[in-house]
Amino acid sequence: MAKIAINIATGSLQQADMIVGIDLGTTNSLVAIIHPESKQPVALKEHDSSSLVPSVVHFDETGNIAVGEEAREYLETDPQNTVFSAKRLMGKSYRDISENASFFSYRVIDDDTDSLVKVQVGDKFYSPTELSAFILKELKQRAEHILKTPVTKAVITVPAYFNDAQRQATRDAGKLAGLDVLRIVNEPTAASLAYGIGLDREQETTIAVYDLGGGTFDISLLRIANGIFEVLSTNGNTYLGGDDFDRAVVKHWTHQFNISDEELKQNHELAQGFRLRAEEAKKYLSHHDTYSVAWHNHVLELDRDTFDGLIAPLIGQTIECSRLALADAGLTAADIDSIVMVGGSTRVPAVKNAVSGFFGKAVNDTVNPDEVVALGAAIQADILAGNNKDLLLLDITPLSLGIETMGGLMDVLIPRNAKIPTKAGRQYTTQKDGQGDMRISVYQGERDLVKDNRKLAEFSLKGIPAMPAGLPKVEVSFLINADGILLVKAKELRSGVEQGIEVRPQYGLTDAEVEKMLLDSITHAKDDMQARALAEARTEGEQILGVTEKFIAKNSGLLSGEEMIATAEAMQALQLALTMEDKNLIQSKIESLNEISRPFAERAMDAAVSGALKGKKV
Ligand code: AMP
């Protein structure tokens, strides 16, 4: 696709509903629109400047806030008051980022490890949402300046692995910046749109979108047919990107000059200086063989081979993710018709070579990898504006979603890799007579027992009218909307009592965690089966104890003293078995209790029948 570098400051633009596409990136952000005349997506830029706005915010002592290139200058001179990579903090707790805390030269607040992180600058505290809002506000103002028209509506992209909390935080940032966020779109989905793949309805193809940006990595496999984009699988790592390449280079140099990690930690200016030069070297080596610069009494040098060696393990990780994505989709590399390259880091020749080597074909890199996502977001914005009604976008859920049922078991309502938007519902009932409340606990994960999965939310359906156990019909429904946000509702169908919740988990899962959860579900499959069988046996045992107790309370007259004792003994034995981990023991005790109580049930039935007959006048 031809890239059109254009300044649309003509004043002739009078589109009623201008919706812009925004790529809110970890390193850089930008805005794109569909050009009103050429109908092509274009990234907005002022004159000869770059379309990219560094995702950096600087705060000065007087309270002035600078965003973008101007703020980036302060990374070196005023690192404590300069916030970069805020996207990495979106929807995260300190615990989530603690391993990477040394990466941030500004102060990330860590006094309460469980709550969402805040950044302290001077005596002020900012949430990642507020920091992102500063960037979005700057983008909005720039767009308005270039387009000479108010910009109030936007489509914003997020990495495919962003969870509900992170998507919501992004949406909130948009709102704070004065934008009506019409849709949150996955970056790989936008990228494929930017390549125009699928616009020809006759085309049927399977593609891989490899997105290596500054801070995140995503691989997504898309099946495109009849103008429908379907994400078959996604994989990735939200802590892997070009920033890590920079860090590898910094490590190489500091090692060379005997500068300890501790020294670097103490001296923010030195650290940032190295970081900026490492990035410069990396970019330079995309087009040259050797880099060299004199700085602080040192000559920093790097050649392409050394650089390739430093980043080989990082590239290897992305290839491993690609392998997992293929396995998830049930595909092999040969099934992929084309590969789309996204993100500034895909300019690194070693990255291109590794990816094309893995898939066995040349990669697509004709669209500027820094702009491709924003251009796709502009196309999505155009679709939402009603200009391209034929397209439908489908995404998927990375992990299964379900609720806790009896015995702490996970009951999956929406399986992993389900296409979204999606809906699912199932009926449940009460365990106790007259039970007025029912707790709904929502979990995410692949394991059979909820304790091994991740709790997303919990709420109670209150005010269920008194009914015998098993009679209420509680319909629990899950709805994942097009933004990937989960809405859970519970409704008692007989009474109409209803309760719902929008699931905004407190913190996000890193890709590594998602991977670990999947891996655990495979390694623990056998244990899980046994645990499930034990949990089911316990539930059955508890139910039988309950029923027997109820029966005895009502029909004690029908049992002899001996029978009463035998029953009490069998019940006790079962109760004891329930406290142990032996499924077979529980089952045998259930069997014994059944043996004893079966005749009572027949007797009770006879009594009821004869009672009914007696009551009748013959
Ligand atoms: P993005 O998040 O897509 O904006 O990607 C930004 C990342 O791409 C940063 O880590 C940049 O250092 C990196 N990058 C930009 N240009 C180049 C280049 N020419 N060669 C290597 N990496 C680059």
Side-chain angles (χ1 to χ4, degrees):
M1 186 188 300
K3 204 182 102 233
I4 304 161
I6 194 156
N7 178 347
I8 314 161
T10 57
S12 63
L13 194 66
Q14 287 302 328
Q15 207 156 318
D17 232 9
M18 168 61 68
I19 310 176
V20 299
I22 297 180
D23 174 5
L24 181 61
T26 309
T27 320
N28 295 301
S29 300
L30 70 154
V31 186
I33 60 154
I34 298 296
H35 190 283
E37 279 149 28
S38 72
K39 306 289 178 208
Q40 293 292 319
V42 287
L44 296 181
K45 59 167 129 184
E46 297 203 66
H47 306 292
D48 291 334
S49 68
S50 161
S51 59
L52 302 184
V53 177
S55 306
V56 182
V57 186
H58 174 259
F59 300 85
D60 78 8
E61 289 143 17
T62 63
N64 276 338
I65 296 169
V67 177
E69 208 52 64
E70 194 189 333
R72 198 179 134 95
E73 316 266 305
Y74 290 103
L75 280 176
E76 205 166 339
T77 56
D78 191 18
Q80 282 98 326
N81 298 316
T82 314
V83 182
F84 65 96
S85 282
K87 186 175 174 180
R88 283 176 181 271
L89 304 175
M90 289 290 261
K92 302 269 174 150
S93 73
Y94 186 76
R95 197 191 300 274
D96 290 328
I97 56 117
S98 56
E99 263 179 44
N100 301 70
S102 62
F103 176 75
F104 303 97
S105 56
Y106 44 88
R107 184 137 192 262
V108 182
I109 297 304
D110 57 352
D111 34 0
D112 181 359
T113 52
D114 275 343
S115 59
L116 295 177
V117 293
K118 289 238 173 191
V119 169
Q120 183 174 10
V121 182
D123 55 1
K124 289 221 170 77
F125 296 88
Y126 298 97
S127 68
T129 301
E130 288 170 303
L131 294 165
S132 295
F134 288 129
I135 298 167
L136 288 170
K137 213 181 270 170
E138 170 73 19
L139 294 173
K140 172 174 149 64
Q141 279 167 2
R142 263 171 185 249
E144 288 174 339
H145 187 244
I146 296 168
L147 297 169
K148 305 214 177 310
T149 184
V151 170
T152 56
K153 293 185 173 148
V155 167
I156 305 179
T157 59
V158 295
Y161 268 94
F162 258 28
N163 65 16
D164 297 344
Q166 293 165 302
R167 284 165 199 266
Q168 198 61 50
T170 306
R171 192 175 265 286
D172 291 346
K175 222 183 277 170
L176 263 180
L179 289 168
D180 181 7
V181 182
L182 299 181
R183 183 68 69 89
I184 297 288
V185 182
N186 282 342
E187 288 161 10
T189 305
S192 67
L193 282 175
Y195 268 90
I197 298 170
L199 292 176
D200 170 5
R201 295 190 65 105
E202 303 295 299
Q203 188 185 24
E204 279 195 25
T205 186
T206 306
I207 68 164
V209 181
Y210 179 100
D211 181 346
L212 189 60
T216 59
F217 168 66
D218 280 292
I219 174 89
S220 304
L221 305 182
L222 310 183
R223 173 90 195 132
I224 298 155
N226 307 316
I228 294 175
F229 294 66
E230 182 188 346
V231 183
L232 299 177
S233 69
T234 66
N235 208 295
N237 184 343
T238 49
Y239 276 96
L240 184 60
D243 297 351
D244 298 297
F245 292 5
D246 303 347
R247 279 195 273 182
V249 173
V250 170
K251 224 179 192 161
H252 171 72
W253 281 337
T254 52
H255 187 71
Q256 222 171 32
F257 297 115
N258 275 330
I259 296 169
S260 69
D261 286 354
E262 199 46 42
E263 204 176 326
L264 212 58
K265 223 186 231 171
Q266 301 299 330
N267 190 340
H268 288 311
E269 256 177 59
L270 188 72
Q272 287 297 353
F274 267 118
R275 202 183 72 81
L276 290 177
R277 266 150 206 95
E279 187 183 6
E280 190 179 275
K282 170 186 73 176
K283 289 184 179 175
Y284 191 78
L285 290 176
S286 290
H287 308 284
H288 303 84
D289 289 333
T290 55
Y291 169 88
S292 162
V293 70
W295 179 66
H296 272 226
N297 309 327
H298 299 307
V299 177
L300 305 180
E301 287 179 322
L302 194 66
D303 62 47
R304 168 101 57 100
D305 284 347
T306 310
F307 176 63
D308 288 355
L310 291 174
I311 62 168
L314 299 168
I315 298 178
Q317 284 181 44
T318 70
I319 298 298
E320 193 44 41
C321 290
S322 307
R323 202 186 308 280
L324 290 171
L326 278 177
D328 253 356
L331 298 177
T332 64
D335 296 321
I336 304 299
D337 300 316
S338 45
I339 306 130
V340 171
M341 297 300 258
V342 181
S345 302
T346 60
R347 288 202 181 87
V348 173
V351 171
K352 286 189 202 188
N353 291 340
V355 177
S356 80
F358 174 73
F359 285 104
K361 47 184 72 73
V363 297
N364 280 286
D365 53 4
T366 51
V367 179
N368 180 339
D370 287 319
E371 293 183 349
V372 62
V373 167
L375 296 176
I379 295 172
Q380 170 71 65
D382 199 45
I383 296 169
L384 289 177
N387 299 332
N388 201 339
K389 291 197 176 72
D390 290 347
L391 288 171
L392 182 66
L393 302 178
L394 300 172
D395 287 327
I396 57 155
T397 56
L399 291 168
S400 302
L401 294 161
I403 67 166
E404 175 177 359
T405 55
M406 297 264 291
L409 289 174
M410 170 90 173
D411 198 25
V412 172
L413 272 92
I414 297 180
R416 95 187 210 82
N417 279 351
K419 289 160 198 152
I420 60 172
T422 188
K423 243 167 47 168
R426 196 165 294 161
Q427 277 187 20
Y428 298 90
T429 189
T430 50
Q431 293 169 39
K432 293 194 187 113
D433 289 342
Q435 187 179 329
D437 288 3
M438 189 159 174
R439 203 178 54 186
I440 313 287
S441 304
V442 183
Y443 284 83
Q444 181 180 41
E446 307 311 309
R447 303 284 299 277
D448 274 359
L449 294 180
V450 292
K451 74 175 173 54
D452 297 319
N453 290 330
R454 176 171 180 261
K455 191 190 241 176
L456 293 181
E458 190 171 83
F459 67 97
S460 277
L461 176 63
K462 289 194 183 351
I464 303 172
M467 280 182 254
L471 208 57
K473 283 188 179 168
V474 178
E475 167 102 1
V476 174
S477 59
F478 277 28
L479 169 75
I480 306 183
N481 67 19
D483 293 340
I485 291 176
L486 172 66
L487 302 153
V488 181
K489 255 205 303 212
K491 182 175 184 178
E492 202 289 302
L493 299 177
R494 293 180 195 277
S495 59
V497 176
E498 202 173 352
Q499 181 77 39
I501 192 170
E502 186 172 302
V503 179
R504 300 181 188 190
Q506 259 212 316
Y507 14 75
L509 279 184
T510 65
D511 292 355
E513 283 170 312
V514 170
E515 256 170 48
K516 185 175 178 307
M517 285 170 90
L518 291 178
L519 220 72
D520 281 352
S521 72
I522 297 164
T523 30
H524 295 286
K526 205 169 149 214
D527 298 348
D528 276 6
M529 242 169 66
Q530 284 164 354
R532 177 174 277 272
L534 178 64
E536 279 170 358
R538 278 191 180 142
T539 302
E540 194 188 342
E542 272 157 17
Q543 271 169 348
I544 285 172
L545 280 176
V547 168
T548 314
E549 247 165 45
K550 230 172 40 198
F551 179 87
I552 291 176
K554 240 174 143 178
N555 305 292
S556 56
L558 292 174
L559 306 188
S560 70
E562 261 168 38
E563 282 171 335
M564 283 290 253
I565 290 168
T567 310
E569 272 173 6
M571 284 173 76
Q572 244 173 23
L574 175 55
Q575 228 141 21
L576 186 68
L578 287 180
T579 64
M580 292 186 254
E581 304 286 310
D582 186 345
K583 174 199 78 157
N584 293 335
L585 182 72
I586 296 173
Q587 268 162 352
S588 87
K589 297 300 171 201
I590 289 175
E591 211 26 62
S592 313
L593 180 58
N594 269 338
E595 281 294 306
I596 296 173
S597 61
R598 201 168 290 129
F600 309 161
E602 283 160 17
R603 226 177 287 163
M605 192 101 77
D606 289 347
V609 170
S610 71
L613 287 179
K614 264 187 217 152
K616 274 206 174 136
K617 292 201 170 99
V618 185

